[in-house]
mmCIF file of all heavy atoms in Angstrom:
data_model
loop_
_atom_site.group_PDB
_atom_site.id
_atom_site.type_symbol
_atom_site.label_atom_id
_atom_site.label_comp_id
_atom_site.label_asym_id
_atom_site.label_seq_id
_atom_site.Cartn_x
_atom_site.Cartn_y
_atom_site.Cartn_z
ATOM 1 N N SER O 314 3.781 19.934 30.028
ATOM 2 C CA SER O 314 5.066 19.561 29.451
ATOM 3 C C SER O 314 5.073 19.871 27.964
ATOM 4 O O SER O 314 4.019 19.937 27.318
ATOM 5 C CB SER O 314 5.325 18.064 29.656
ATOM 6 O OG SER O 314 4.462 17.301 28.848
ATOM 7 N N ALA O 315 6.281 20.059 27.441
ATOM 8 C CA ALA O 315 6.406 20.324 26.007
ATOM 9 C C ALA O 315 5.858 19.141 25.210
ATOM 10 O O ALA O 315 5.285 19.307 24.138
ATOM 11 C CB ALA O 315 7.870 20.560 25.651
ATOM 12 N N MET O 316 6.011 17.944 25.772
ATOM 13 C CA MET O 316 5.539 16.768 25.051
ATOM 14 C C MET O 316 4.012 16.694 25.025
ATOM 15 O O MET O 316 3.428 16.160 24.088
ATOM 16 C CB MET O 316 6.139 15.500 25.661
ATOM 17 C CG MET O 316 7.621 15.349 25.382
ATOM 18 S SD MET O 316 8.018 15.435 23.608
ATOM 19 C CE MET O 316 8.833 17.032 23.503
ATOM 20 N N ALA O 317 3.389 17.249 26.071
ATOM 21 C CA ALA O 317 1.926 17.315 26.052
ATOM 22 C C ALA O 317 1.483 18.204 24.908
ATOM 23 O O ALA O 317 0.557 17.888 24.159
ATOM 24 C CB ALA O 317 1.398 17.858 27.379
ATOM 25 N N LEU O 318 2.180 19.302 24.742
ATOM 26 C CA LEU O 318 1.856 20.219 23.652
ATOM 27 C C LEU O 318 2.079 19.545 22.313
ATOM 28 O O LEU O 318 1.245 19.606 21.417
ATOM 29 C CB LEU O 318 2.768 21.444 23.730
ATOM 30 C CG LEU O 318 2.269 22.829 23.340
ATOM 31 C CD1 LEU O 318 3.368 23.642 22.723
ATOM 32 C CD2 LEU O 318 1.036 22.835 22.449
ATOM 33 N N ARG O 319 3.228 18.890 22.205
ATOM 34 C CA ARG O 319 3.535 18.208 20.945
ATOM 35 C C ARG O 319 2.451 17.173 20.623
ATOM 36 O O ARG O 319 1.973 17.077 19.505
ATOM 37 C CB ARG O 319 4.904 17.513 21.028
ATOM 38 C CG ARG O 319 5.231 16.814 19.736
ATOM 39 C CD ARG O 319 6.642 16.260 19.642
ATOM 40 N NE ARG O 319 6.713 15.563 18.377
ATOM 41 C CZ ARG O 319 7.473 15.931 17.350
ATOM 42 N NH1 ARG O 319 8.267 16.946 17.454
ATOM 43 N NH2 ARG O 319 7.431 15.264 16.206
ATOM 44 N N TYR O 320 2.074 16.425 21.634
ATOM 45 C CA TYR O 320 1.057 15.391 21.431
ATOM 46 C C TYR O 320 -0.278 16.014 21.011
ATOM 47 O O TYR O 320 -0.917 15.566 20.066
ATOM 48 C CB TYR O 320 0.877 14.583 22.718
ATOM 49 C CG TYR O 320 -0.066 13.402 22.576
ATOM 50 C CD1 TYR O 320 0.433 12.135 22.304
ATOM 51 C CD2 TYR O 320 -1.441 13.563 22.710
ATOM 52 C CE1 TYR O 320 -0.425 11.047 22.161
ATOM 53 C CE2 TYR O 320 -2.305 12.486 22.568
ATOM 54 C CZ TYR O 320 -1.796 11.234 22.298
ATOM 55 O OH TYR O 320 -2.644 10.163 22.155
ATOM 56 N N LEU O 321 -0.658 17.055 21.719
ATOM 57 C CA LEU O 321 -1.929 17.709 21.376
ATOM 58 C C LEU O 321 -1.926 18.196 19.931
ATOM 59 O O LEU O 321 -2.892 18.019 19.190
ATOM 60 C CB LEU O 321 -2.190 18.885 22.325
ATOM 61 C CG LEU O 321 -3.430 19.726 22.019
ATOM 62 C CD1 LEU O 321 -4.697 18.905 22.180
ATOM 63 C CD2 LEU O 321 -3.497 20.959 22.900
ATOM 64 N N LEU O 322 -0.831 18.805 19.536
ATOM 65 C CA LEU O 322 -0.784 19.403 18.208
ATOM 66 C C LEU O 322 -0.597 18.396 17.087
ATOM 67 O O LEU O 322 -0.927 18.685 15.941
ATOM 68 C CB LEU O 322 0.321 20.462 18.135
ATOM 69 C CG LEU O 322 0.147 21.654 19.079
ATOM 70 C CD1 LEU O 322 1.216 22.698 18.816
ATOM 71 C CD2 LEU O 322 -1.229 22.284 18.917
ATOM 72 N N THR O 323 -0.063 17.222 17.415
ATOM 73 C CA THR O 323 0.122 16.262 16.324
ATOM 74 C C THR O 323 -0.873 15.111 16.360
ATOM 75 O O THR O 323 -0.993 14.383 15.383
ATOM 76 C CB THR O 323 1.542 15.657 16.300
ATOM 77 O OG1 THR O 323 1.854 15.200 17.599
ATOM 78 C CG2 THR O 323 2.572 16.648 15.847
ATOM 79 N N SER O 324 -1.595 14.954 17.462
ATOM 80 C CA SER O 324 -2.444 13.770 17.552
ATOM 81 C C SER O 324 -3.763 13.916 16.804
ATOM 82 O O SER O 324 -4.413 12.932 16.498
ATOM 83 C CB SER O 324 -2.717 13.408 19.009
ATOM 84 O OG SER O 324 -3.462 14.436 19.629
ATOM 85 N N SER O 325 -4.161 15.137 16.513
ATOM 86 C CA SER O 325 -5.345 15.229 15.666
ATOM 87 C C SER O 325 -4.911 15.520 14.240
ATOM 88 O O SER O 325 -3.806 15.976 13.993
ATOM 89 C CB SER O 325 -6.319 16.279 16.172
ATOM 90 O OG SER O 325 -5.648 17.400 16.620
ATOM 91 N N HIS O 326 -5.787 15.222 13.346
ATOM 92 C CA HIS O 326 -5.427 15.291 11.936
ATOM 93 C C HIS O 326 -4.971 16.696 11.533
ATOM 94 O O HIS O 326 -5.523 17.684 11.981
ATOM 95 C CB HIS O 326 -6.617 14.875 11.079
ATOM 96 C CG HIS O 326 -6.235 14.683 9.650
ATOM 97 N ND1 HIS O 326 -5.741 13.494 9.177
ATOM 98 C CD2 HIS O 326 -6.216 15.536 8.623
ATOM 99 C CE1 HIS O 326 -5.452 13.627 7.897
ATOM 100 N NE2 HIS O 326 -5.725 14.859 7.537
ATOM 101 N N TYR O 327 -3.975 16.738 10.673
ATOM 102 C CA TYR O 327 -3.383 18.039 10.346
ATOM 103 C C TYR O 327 -4.329 18.986 9.617
ATOM 104 O O TYR O 327 -4.144 20.191 9.643
ATOM 105 C CB TYR O 327 -2.086 17.849 9.544
ATOM 106 C CG TYR O 327 -2.261 17.381 8.109
ATOM 107 C CD1 TYR O 327 -2.386 18.294 7.054
ATOM 108 C CD2 TYR O 327 -2.299 16.038 7.800
ATOM 109 C CE1 TYR O 327 -2.534 17.875 5.742
ATOM 110 C CE2 TYR O 327 -2.449 15.597 6.495
ATOM 111 C CZ TYR O 327 -2.574 16.531 5.462
ATOM 112 O OH TYR O 327 -2.730 16.106 4.163
ATOM 113 N N ARG O 328 -5.351 18.442 8.974
ATOM 114 C CA ARG O 328 -6.272 19.340 8.262
ATOM 115 C C ARG O 328 -7.469 19.719 9.131
ATOM 116 O O ARG O 328 -8.475 20.231 8.662
ATOM 117 C CB ARG O 328 -6.728 18.698 6.948
ATOM 118 C CG ARG O 328 -5.608 18.676 5.904
ATOM 119 C CD ARG O 328 -6.088 18.319 4.523
ATOM 120 N NE ARG O 328 -6.316 16.901 4.363
ATOM 121 C CZ ARG O 328 -7.496 16.376 4.016
ATOM 122 N NH1 ARG O 328 -8.537 17.163 3.812
ATOM 123 N NH2 ARG O 328 -7.625 15.083 3.895
ATOM 124 N N GLN O 329 -7.342 19.433 10.405
ATOM 125 C CA GLN O 329 -8.402 19.711 11.371
ATOM 126 C C GLN O 329 -7.915 20.817 12.304
ATOM 127 O O GLN O 329 -6.755 20.838 12.684
ATOM 128 C CB GLN O 329 -8.617 18.423 12.187
ATOM 129 C CG GLN O 329 -9.955 18.285 12.810
ATOM 130 C CD GLN O 329 -10.987 17.899 11.788
ATOM 131 O OE1 GLN O 329 -10.769 17.004 11.017
ATOM 132 N NE2 GLN O 329 -12.108 18.579 11.802
ATOM 133 N N LYS O 330 -8.797 21.682 12.685
ATOM 134 C CA LYS O 330 -8.392 22.718 13.640
ATOM 135 C C LYS O 330 -8.200 22.091 15.019
ATOM 136 O O LYS O 330 -8.859 21.120 15.366
ATOM 137 C CB LYS O 330 -9.475 23.783 13.743
ATOM 138 C CG LYS O 330 -9.707 24.555 12.465
ATOM 139 C CD LYS O 330 -10.852 25.533 12.651
ATOM 140 C CE LYS O 330 -11.748 25.670 11.446
ATOM 141 N NZ LYS O 330 -11.142 25.494 10.148
ATOM 142 N N VAL O 331 -7.323 22.678 15.790
ATOM 143 C CA VAL O 331 -7.102 22.215 17.155
ATOM 144 C C VAL O 331 -7.340 23.394 18.091
ATOM 145 O O VAL O 331 -6.892 24.506 17.819
ATOM 146 C CB VAL O 331 -5.654 21.708 17.341
ATOM 147 C CG1 VAL O 331 -5.379 21.395 18.802
ATOM 148 C CG2 VAL O 331 -5.401 20.480 16.496
ATOM 149 N N ASP O 332 -8.064 23.134 19.165
ATOM 150 C CA ASP O 332 -8.337 24.198 20.120
ATOM 151 C C ASP O 332 -7.399 24.045 21.313
ATOM 152 O O ASP O 332 -7.339 22.987 21.932
ATOM 153 C CB ASP O 332 -9.805 24.098 20.580
ATOM 154 C CG ASP O 332 -10.306 25.419 21.159
ATOM 155 O OD1 ASP O 332 -9.547 26.411 21.136
ATOM 156 O OD2 ASP O 332 -11.451 25.453 21.637
ATOM 157 N N LEU O 333 -6.649 25.076 21.583
ATOM 158 C CA LEU O 333 -5.702 25.027 22.696
ATOM 159 C C LEU O 333 -6.411 25.431 23.986
ATOM 160 O O LEU O 333 -6.812 26.582 24.141
ATOM 161 C CB LEU O 333 -4.528 25.964 22.440
ATOM 162 C CG LEU O 333 -3.433 25.929 23.497
ATOM 163 C CD1 LEU O 333 -2.542 24.720 23.304
ATOM 164 C CD2 LEU O 333 -2.611 27.195 23.483
ATOM 165 N N THR O 334 -6.585 24.472 24.890
ATOM 166 C CA THR O 334 -7.158 24.785 26.198
ATOM 167 C C THR O 334 -6.376 24.005 27.238
ATOM 168 O O THR O 334 -5.695 23.032 26.914
ATOM 169 C CB THR O 334 -8.642 24.352 26.305
ATOM 170 O OG1 THR O 334 -8.700 22.914 26.265
ATOM 171 C CG2 THR O 334 -9.488 24.924 25.194
ATOM 172 N N ASN O 335 -6.496 24.414 28.465
ATOM 173 C CA ASN O 335 -5.822 23.690 29.534
ATOM 174 C C ASN O 335 -6.294 22.256 29.610
ATOM 175 O O ASN O 335 -5.520 21.334 29.825
ATOM 176 C CB ASN O 335 -6.087 24.374 30.872
ATOM 177 C CG ASN O 335 -5.052 25.437 31.155
ATOM 178 O OD1 ASN O 335 -3.871 25.236 30.910
ATOM 179 N ND2 ASN O 335 -5.499 26.574 31.628
ATOM 180 N N GLU O 336 -7.583 22.076 29.433
ATOM 181 C CA GLU O 336 -8.148 20.737 29.523
ATOM 182 C C GLU O 336 -7.557 19.817 28.450
ATOM 183 O O GLU O 336 -7.203 18.676 28.725
ATOM 184 C CB GLU O 336 -9.668 20.818 29.378
ATOM 185 C CG GLU O 336 -10.361 19.545 29.786
ATOM 186 C CD GLU O 336 -11.848 19.577 29.504
ATOM 187 O OE1 GLU O 336 -12.373 20.655 29.175
ATOM 188 O OE2 GLU O 336 -12.473 18.502 29.592
ATOM 189 N N HIS O 337 -7.457 20.333 27.239
ATOM 190 C CA HIS O 337 -6.913 19.526 26.152
ATOM 191 C C HIS O 337 -5.432 19.217 26.378
ATOM 192 O O HIS O 337 -4.965 18.120 26.082
ATOM 193 C CB HIS O 337 -7.108 20.231 24.816
ATOM 194 C CG HIS O 337 -8.554 20.414 24.463
ATOM 195 N ND1 HIS O 337 -8.976 21.231 23.434
ATOM 196 C CD2 HIS O 337 -9.670 19.891 25.021
ATOM 197 C CE1 HIS O 337 -10.297 21.193 23.384
ATOM 198 N NE2 HIS O 337 -10.736 20.403 24.327
ATOM 199 N N LEU O 338 -4.719 20.190 26.902
ATOM 200 C CA LEU O 338 -3.300 19.973 27.189
ATOM 201 C C LEU O 338 -3.136 18.922 28.282
ATOM 202 O O LEU O 338 -2.260 18.063 28.210
ATOM 203 C CB LEU O 338 -2.641 21.282 27.629
ATOM 204 C CG LEU O 338 -2.255 22.238 26.501
ATOM 205 C CD1 LEU O 338 -1.988 23.628 27.041
ATOM 206 C CD2 LEU O 338 -1.026 21.718 25.759
ATOM 207 N N TYR O 339 -3.990 19.007 29.268
ATOM 208 C CA TYR O 339 -3.930 18.028 30.355
ATOM 209 C C TYR O 339 -4.189 16.632 29.813
ATOM 210 O O TYR O 339 -3.459 15.681 30.108
ATOM 211 C CB TYR O 339 -4.965 18.389 31.425
ATOM 212 C CG TYR O 339 -5.099 17.304 32.477
ATOM 213 C CD1 TYR O 339 -4.112 17.143 33.444
ATOM 214 C CD2 TYR O 339 -6.183 16.434 32.466
ATOM 215 C CE1 TYR O 339 -4.213 16.134 34.391
ATOM 216 C CE2 TYR O 339 -6.297 15.436 33.411
ATOM 217 C CZ TYR O 339 -5.308 15.276 34.369
ATOM 218 O OH TYR O 339 -5.412 14.278 35.293
ATOM 219 N N SER O 340 -5.232 16.539 29.028
ATOM 220 C CA SER O 340 -5.610 15.256 28.447
ATOM 221 C C SER O 340 -4.480 14.678 27.591
ATOM 222 O O SER O 340 -4.168 13.487 27.660
ATOM 223 C CB SER O 340 -6.883 15.470 27.623
ATOM 224 O OG SER O 340 -7.201 14.326 26.915
ATOM 225 N N ALA O 341 -3.856 15.543 26.823
ATOM 226 C CA ALA O 341 -2.730 15.116 25.994
ATOM 227 C C ALA O 341 -1.574 14.655 26.875
ATOM 228 O O ALA O 341 -0.922 13.640 26.603
ATOM 229 C CB ALA O 341 -2.273 16.255 25.092
ATOM 230 N N GLY O 342 -1.346 15.381 27.955
ATOM 231 C CA GLY O 342 -0.271 15.035 28.870
ATOM 232 C C GLY O 342 -0.484 13.665 29.494
ATOM 233 O O GLY O 342 0.459 12.892 29.671
ATOM 234 N N GLN O 343 -1.733 13.356 29.810
ATOM 235 C CA GLN O 343 -2.049 12.048 30.379
ATOM 236 C C GLN O 343 -1.765 10.930 29.373
ATOM 237 O O GLN O 343 -1.279 9.871 29.739
ATOM 238 C CB GLN O 343 -3.523 12.001 30.805
ATOM 239 C CG GLN O 343 -3.861 12.890 31.981
ATOM 240 C CD GLN O 343 -3.102 12.517 33.229
ATOM 241 O OE1 GLN O 343 -2.122 13.150 33.573
ATOM 242 N NE2 GLN O 343 -3.521 11.475 33.918
ATOM 243 N N ALA O 344 -2.101 11.191 28.130
ATOM 244 C CA ALA O 344 -1.853 10.194 27.087
ATOM 245 C C ALA O 344 -0.352 9.946 26.938
ATOM 246 O O ALA O 344 0.090 8.797 26.824
ATOM 247 C CB ALA O 344 -2.449 10.660 25.758
ATOM 248 N N VAL O 345 0.409 11.020 26.980
ATOM 249 C CA VAL O 345 1.862 10.890 26.885
ATOM 250 C C VAL O 345 2.384 10.092 28.074
ATOM 251 O O VAL O 345 3.243 9.221 27.931
ATOM 252 C CB VAL O 345 2.544 12.281 26.848
ATOM 253 C CG1 VAL O 345 4.058 12.145 26.981
ATOM 254 C CG2 VAL O 345 2.204 13.008 25.560
#
Side-chain angles (χ1 to χ4, degrees):
Chain O
S314 70
M316 289 306 109
L318 215 214
R319 180 172 176 114
Y320 185 95
L321 176 64
L322 298 186
T323 50
S324 65
S325 40
H326 191 86
Y327 72 91
R328 288 192 282 121
Q329 204 76 48
K330 296 177 218 329
V331 173
D332 201 4
L333 184 79
T334 67
N335 271 318
E336 194 186 350
H337 297 168
L338 280 164
Y339 171 75
S340 173
Q343 292 299 101
V345 171

